[in-house]
Amino acid sequence: MSSAPWRTRGPARGHQRSPSDSQAFKERTKRDALADLEHELARISLTAEDFEKQAIEQQNEGFKKLFERFIEGSGSSFNWDKIQKLPDDAIKDYDALPEPASEEIKALLSKLVVVKLNGGLGTSMGCHGPKSVISVRNGLTFLDLTVQQIEALNKQYGSNVPLVLMNSFNTNEDTHKIIKKYKGIDIEIHTFNQSCFPRIDKESLLPIAKHSKINEDLDAWYPPGHGDFYESFHKSGLLEVFLKQGREYCFISNIDNLGATVDLKILRLVLEKSNEMEFLMEVTDKTRADVKGGTLIQYENKLRLLEIAQVPKEHTEDFKSVKTFKYFNTNNLWIKLSAIDRVLREDALDMEIIVNAKTFENGLNVIQLETAVGAAMKTFNGSSGIHVPRSRFLPVKKTSDLMLVMSNLYTLRNGSLTMSPERMFPTTPLVKLGDSHFSKVKDFLNRFPTIPDLLELDHLTISGDVTFGRKVTLKGTVIIIANQGERIDLPSGTILENKIVSGNMRIMDH
């Protein structure tokens, strides 16, 4: 019987190798993985045009550093048992902050830069292009409302607060076309692009990209989370520009958070404490709707952001507990510009890596390595949280959120939404809309010719093929369920209070 082709013929004595111990094996695998990755990245950069080579190589360097930290295992470095109780002074009290005097507001605003994270697409809500151009109220988009807010602020106080948009390769081109319409508005708008990194095959740990032509193979690339803000902001040259202008703090928030307006009380606080507070994170009370949101913890005697992706599976329920972790991160951050500059110059930026796994339709499993902008708080001196009202967190992630902000729960003035004084409760209703009929904006709008009166609503669940007439009023707890193959059409003028509506239009008390 012939031997296998990879075996040596004859006695194997003298050719045997003692198996390497597991630690040595792991080290060798890491070295191999990094060397293979470097080789692939070099191959990809060879396909770039001369004018883009430098930018591609710079991005490859950034990805290589991230990948190296990932294979070294410094991605998720939390030991659950070492989480400490938050110190009493870790969370500032918003309600205790004084209002700034009117004569000092212009000087305060001269120190501020507003940054909106604008890298996301509206695909999860069935829309094409940047999420920031989805119409959310009175035909106005997220971007329109943001511009209106800052325009109103500058007009009222005679200031010149600049707006900075961090785009991704997904949103950059469309955003540049859209912001042309603001030319006649007296507001300074800057944009910069965050990095574009290659997705890697989960098995081989090699990039799935075959060339550097991103637009020809969008699935092979991804924007690496908003933690990329620091490096990309610096590379854009904007950090240096604003420091030379005498700006001191940036206020960063997600563009889809309609509650993240410039708060003068918080601005006054950070400027007053600028020597001891380089980083301030707004946190608010957890509800059942946001148990997955990142939370603040004390770890190794430093304030840290803990995301659900970093929690061991056996502790997921502990993490979601409103009693154990009663606050969550709104991703509204106030960060000192000179501190960002110092941290980058010292190469001291340290953020946990979030490994985001995805499966393509063809079954290919890929991972993308991401970081969160708030996770850098441990790198800055005097990082703190501040407990803000729920009104500072009004994100629109789903059509259920869109329903709330389009409703009579809010009034709109100068781009800012405020809860109607007619609402008896400070919290918003919990709304759950069935994915198959309501998840896309177009379908959602077809089923609601006008948004119902929600002023007295506590909880709404809708499932199945349900359509509303005009001027419907919902109060208390309302559950509407159309069974498979059935349809419910609520007539115009319907008033439902604590009712369950089932497939054959039976209405029962809840």
Side-chain angles (χ1 to χ4, degrees):
M1 187 170 135
S2 63
S3 60
W6 46 266
R7 281 192 186 145
T8 53
R9 293 182 183 276
R13 204 172 38 230
H15 295 279
Q16 289 175 340
R17 291 172 56 189
S18 59
S20 59
D21 67 275
S22 59
Q23 188 56 38
F25 175 78
K26 282 178 186 171
E27 291 303 320
R28 196 170 70 246
T29 330
K30 284 176 188 174
R31 283 197 305 273
D32 290 347
L34 189 59
D36 290 346
L37 179 90
E38 285 176 336
H39 181 265
E40 284 299 300
L41 292 177
R43 184 185 58 75
I44 290 169
S45 68
L46 285 174
T47 66
E49 302 288 344
D50 287 344
F51 69 89
E52 57 185 4
K53 250 190 173 54
Q54 188 178 353
I56 295 279
E57 285 170 0
Q58 196 176 43
Q59 294 213 123
N60 285 351
E61 272 306 305
F63 181 70
K64 200 170 76 179
K65 278 165 70 176
L66 192 63
F67 183 83
E68 194 167 3
R69 284 184 53 227
F70 162 65
I71 60 170
E72 290 296 335
S74 56
S76 178
S77 54
F78 284 108
N79 178 333
W80 190 264
D81 297 326
K82 288 186 178 179
I83 294 176
Q84 302 160 301
K85 186 177 179 291
L86 281 176
D88 294 337
D89 62 345
I91 310 287
K92 312 292 178 199
D93 180 11
Y94 176 85
D95 293 332
L97 297 182
E99 292 282 355
S102 54
E103 61 271 16
E104 66 177 322
I105 292 175
K106 183 176 179 180
L108 293 175
L109 290 171
S110 71
K111 305 292 185 186
L112 181 67
V113 177
V114 172
V115 178
K116 292 289 180 180
L117 304 172
N118 184 45
L121 292 169
T123 45
S124 63
M125 293 168 71
C127 299
H128 299 291
K131 188 176 183 182
S132 56
V133 300
I134 294 175
S135 179
V136 284
R137 180 93 184 203
N138 300 357
L140 299 171
T141 66
F142 292 106
L143 203 47
D144 292 335
L145 295 175
T146 300
V147 169
Q148 277 191 7
Q149 287 166 18
I150 296 177
E151 181 196 22
L153 194 70
N154 286 338
K155 266 187 184 169
Q156 184 176 353
Y157 298 107
S159 54
N160 181 30
V161 175
L163 170 63
V164 179
L165 302 172
M166 180 170 91
N167 301 331
S168 68
F169 66 90
N170 288 318
T171 63
N172 188 52
E173 193 176 328
D174 287 338
T175 300
H176 274 278
K177 288 176 188 168
I178 291 154
I179 59 177
K180 285 177 182 172
K181 72 176 180 180
Y182 305 127
K183 273 186 178 170
I185 293 172
D186 190 18
I187 176 173
E188 191 182 302
I189 301 177
H190 302 268
T191 66
F192 70 97
N193 256 14
Q194 69 178 117
S195 300
C196 173
F197 285 168
R199 284 181 168 140
I200 54 180
D201 185 310
K202 192 177 178 182
E203 299 307 317
S204 68
L205 295 183
L206 294 175
I208 62 170
K210 302 298 177 213
H211 51 72
S212 62
K213 305 286 183 287
I214 294 160
N215 290 333
E216 292 175 20
D217 190 8
L218 288 173
D219 281 345
W221 304 86
Y222 73 100
H226 39 60
D228 185 60
F229 161 76
Y230 304 99
E231 295 276 5
S232 293
F233 185 49
H234 177 252
K235 283 175 192 167
S236 73
L238 287 171
L239 177 59
E240 187 180 358
V241 166
F242 293 133
L243 283 169
K244 282 180 178 171
Q245 287 177 4
R247 307 271 173 186
E248 290 186 30
Y249 275 81
C250 61
F251 169 50
I252 303 174
S253 62
N254 298 337
I255 198 153
D256 65 2
N257 180 5
L258 295 174
T261 56
V262 171
D263 188 287
L264 297 172
K265 294 201 304 187
I266 299 177
L267 177 59
R268 184 178 183 275
L269 169 72
V270 292
L271 287 169
E272 194 179 62
K273 306 270 188 186
S274 65
N275 289 333
E276 56 197 77
M277 191 186 289
E278 294 182 345
F279 189 110
L280 185 67
M281 175 184 286
E282 294 184 34
V283 296
T284 194
D285 295 325
K286 257 191 191 183
T287 68
R288 285 173 296 166
D290 30 54
V291 290
K292 292 182 180 178
T295 193
L296 278 184
I297 60 169
Q298 182 82 353
Y299 191 87
E300 294 176 343
N301 300 318
K302 282 206 163 191
L303 207 57
R304 303 268 286 264
L305 174 64
L306 176 65
E307 300 276 7
I308 194 165
Q310 296 159 329
V311 175
K313 280 187 181 156
E314 64 272 22
H315 290 292
T316 302
E317 290 310 308
D318 299 333
F319 176 82
K320 290 179 181 178
S321 161
V322 178
K323 282 183 180 175
T324 313
F325 301 108
K326 58 182 181 176
Y327 303 128
F328 78 98
N329 169 28
T330 63
N331 218 37
N332 300 346
L333 308 169
W334 302 76
I335 312 175
K336 192 173 182 179
L337 295 174
S338 60
I340 295 174
D341 184 56
R342 183 196 74 237
V343 162
L344 291 173
R345 275 190 288 103
E346 293 174 356
D347 198 20
L349 192 65
D350 182 18
M351 294 172 284
E352 288 75 36
I353 295 170
I354 299 165
V355 180
N356 190 349
K358 293 187 178 293
T359 302
F360 289 159
E361 283 180 8
N362 64 4
L364 179 67
N365 293 314
V366 298
I367 55 176
Q368 46 194 59
L369 307 179
E370 302 176 6
T371 53
V373 63
M377 70 186 309
K378 66 172 184 266
T379 310
F380 293 90
N381 298 327
S383 292
S384 291
I386 183 165
H387 180 213
V388 295
R390 183 76 192 189
S391 57
R392 299 279 301 154
F393 184 69
L394 190 56
V396 179
K397 304 290 182 191
K398 299 178 177 178
T399 51
S400 52
D401 302 321
L402 195 58
M403 183 179 185
L404 295 176
V405 300
M406 291 175 79
S407 76
N408 61 343
L409 285 169
Y410 294 97
T411 56
L412 178 66
R413 186 167 176 270
N414 294 331
S416 297
L417 291 177
T418 49
M419 191 171 281
S420 166
E422 293 178 47
R423 171 78 173 167
M424 301 296 288
F425 324 102
T427 55
T428 52
L430 186 63
V431 174
K432 295 178 181 176
L433 303 178
D435 282 347
S436 51
H437 294 88
F438 290 89
S439 63
K440 305 284 187 279
V441 172
K442 186 181 172 188
D443 296 339
F444 164 82
L445 293 174
N446 284 340
R447 293 177 181 276
F448 289 106
T450 61
I451 302 298
D453 176 339
L454 305 182
L455 281 174
E456 295 179 46
L457 180 70
D458 297 325
H459 180 121
L460 173 66
T461 295
I462 304 174
S463 177
D465 189 357
V466 180
T467 304
F468 284 66
R470 294 177 179 276
K471 296 187 176 177
V472 172
T473 300
L474 305 173
K475 301 180 179 185
T477 295
V478 178
I479 299 168
I480 306 170
I481 299 172
N483 297 325
Q484 189 87 31
E486 294 177 332
R487 173 174 170 162
I488 293 176
D489 291 299
L490 289 175
S492 293
T494 300
I495 299 173
L496 295 176
E497 181 171 4
N498 293 327
K499 298 292 182 189
I500 298 173
V501 181
S502 67
N504 58 7
M505 280 298 289
R506 283 181 304 135
I507 297 180
M508 302 176 290
D509 286 331
H510 174 71

